[in-house]
Amino acid sequence: MLRGLYTAASGLTMQQRKHDTVTNNIANLNTPGFKQESTSARSFPEVLISRIRGGEAGDGTVVNVGRMNTGVFAEETARLMAQGPLQQTGNPLDYALVSDIQVNGLRFDNGGKAVGPDGTVVYQPEALFVVENPQVAGERHYTRNGKFTVDAEGYVANADGYRLVAADGRTVQYNPDNPPIPLVMKVQNPNVLLPEGNGLFTVGPNDEGQVVALAAGDQVEVRKGFVERSNVDPTQAMVDMTTAARAYEANQKMVQFYDRSMDKLVNDVGRV
């Protein structure tokens, strides 16, 4: 009985995680450059169930009943780096990236994955803008949000105050007669990006080599006066949220059922 309770409880945790992920996607529908996330589930390893003294003669023969799964957990939260739609704003400090970087003629699926000739999984590289923390010299971050403004000191910066790094590698003050050309870098495996919130990413010390300069043949375009909108599909997001909520409710009812059963076991059967 407790085993079933633990299995239902693991389902509650899993569906809560899914629901939180979808809710975050919906909350960022209008966030420029936001990339939707999805949580994948994985079951615990199956176990073999046996019954002792299960033979007809009751001679201690072990009879295999079958396999059973004891629960589920959230294996990972994956980010879909697919290109979001562009919106023209006419703002000279708005930039949008159009990225379709190819690798050895491989065909990438909607999730940005492809299988190479040797069977290895290859991820489609992505282009990102580079911004710098003005409070920490040289601390760089990466983003797809190309909506910039001018900070109190005249530098081109995002809404959080991180300054745009120009193509010459420096942060620059805004000059309407000579607008900055953003520095764009390529992340060879987008899965190494670590989210920091507000559309900013960084990479760990062991993954810094994944961030490289664009090559001559990379299909990357910077469009001025545009912003890249979120790539979240609102219809699918609502379906996913409803599905997670209903699955959560089903697991909740199972927990309540086991709770009532244990209550009867302790209070009613115990008296008998």
Side-chain angles (χ1 to χ4, degrees):
M1 185 179 295
L2 289 177
R3 183 181 294 145
L5 179 62
Y6 293 148
T7 301
S10 71
L12 282 174
T13 304
M14 175 63 220
Q15 297 305 325
Q16 180 65 54
R17 176 82 173 270
K18 276 191 171 183
H19 191 275
D20 291 345
T21 300
V22 178
T23 301
N24 183 60
N25 289 339
I26 294 175
N28 286 279
L29 276 172
N30 296 317
T31 301
F34 179 81
K35 302 302 179 182
Q36 72 172 4
E37 298 177 336
S38 62
T39 300
S40 59
R42 182 176 180 180
S43 61
F44 289 114
E46 290 185 338
V47 294
L48 180 65
I49 303 299
S50 302
R51 185 170 68 246
I52 300 177
R53 300 184 184 277
E56 295 181 358
D59 56 0
T61 303
V62 177
V63 177
N64 291 334
V65 178
R67 294 184 177 274
M68 184 189 70
N69 196 285
T70 57
V72 67
F73 66 98
E75 182 177 27
E76 64 175 348
T77 298
R79 187 179 304 105
L80 178 63
M81 296 296 293
Q83 178 75 44
L86 301 189
Q87 178 181 359
Q88 186 172 11
T89 64
N91 188 335
L93 288 177
D94 285 348
Y95 300 93
L97 281 172
V98 180
S99 174
D100 186 21
I101 302 174
Q102 301 300 311
V103 179
N104 300 327
L106 296 176
R107 296 184 59 131
F108 294 96
D109 59 19
N110 292 334
K113 292 193 302 184
V115 178
D118 58 353
T120 59
V121 177
V122 180
Y123 295 94
Q124 185 173 23
E126 290 293 337
L128 296 99
F129 296 113
V130 183
V131 293
E132 187 173 294
N133 185 354
Q135 306 300 325
V136 182
E139 181 183 289
R140 291 187 171 182
H141 305 261
Y142 309 94
T143 183
R144 290 283 293 203
N145 187 346
K147 193 168 187 63
F148 295 96
T149 184
V150 180
D151 66 13
E153 298 180 27
Y155 285 87
V156 180
N158 65 10
D160 297 306
Y162 287 79
R163 294 172 177 172
L164 174 67
V165 178
D168 61 2
R170 301 179 302 166
T171 58
V172 294
Q173 292 182 310
Y174 179 60
N175 180 357
D177 297 325
N178 186 24
I181 300 175
L183 175 61
V184 179
M185 299 293 284
K186 176 174 63 177
V187 181
Q188 295 176 324
N189 181 0
N191 292 312
V192 304
L193 292 171
L194 304 175
E196 298 184 304
N198 299 325
L200 294 175
F201 300 94
T202 187
V203 293
N206 296 330
D207 296 317
E208 291 179 350
Q210 293 283 339
V211 183
V212 298
L214 293 174
D218 289 338
Q219 300 180 29
V220 177
E221 178 185 356
V222 179
R223 295 192 183 180
K224 184 179 178 182
F226 289 80
V227 292
E228 180 187 6
R229 299 179 59 188
S230 164
N231 68 354
V232 176
D233 182 344
T235 302
Q236 185 61 50
M238 291 301 298
V239 171
D240 293 342
M241 186 169 66
T242 302
T243 302
R246 290 180 176 174
Y248 185 93
E249 183 180 0
N251 282 281
Q252 186 180 43
K253 289 181 178 179
M254 289 302 301
V255 171
Q256 292 170 348
F257 167 77
Y258 282 113
D259 181 63
R260 290 193 298 268
S261 298
M262 287 190 293
D263 178 69
K264 289 182 177 295
L265 178 64
V266 172
N267 295 305
D268 296 343
V269 176
R271 285 200 297 267
V272 175

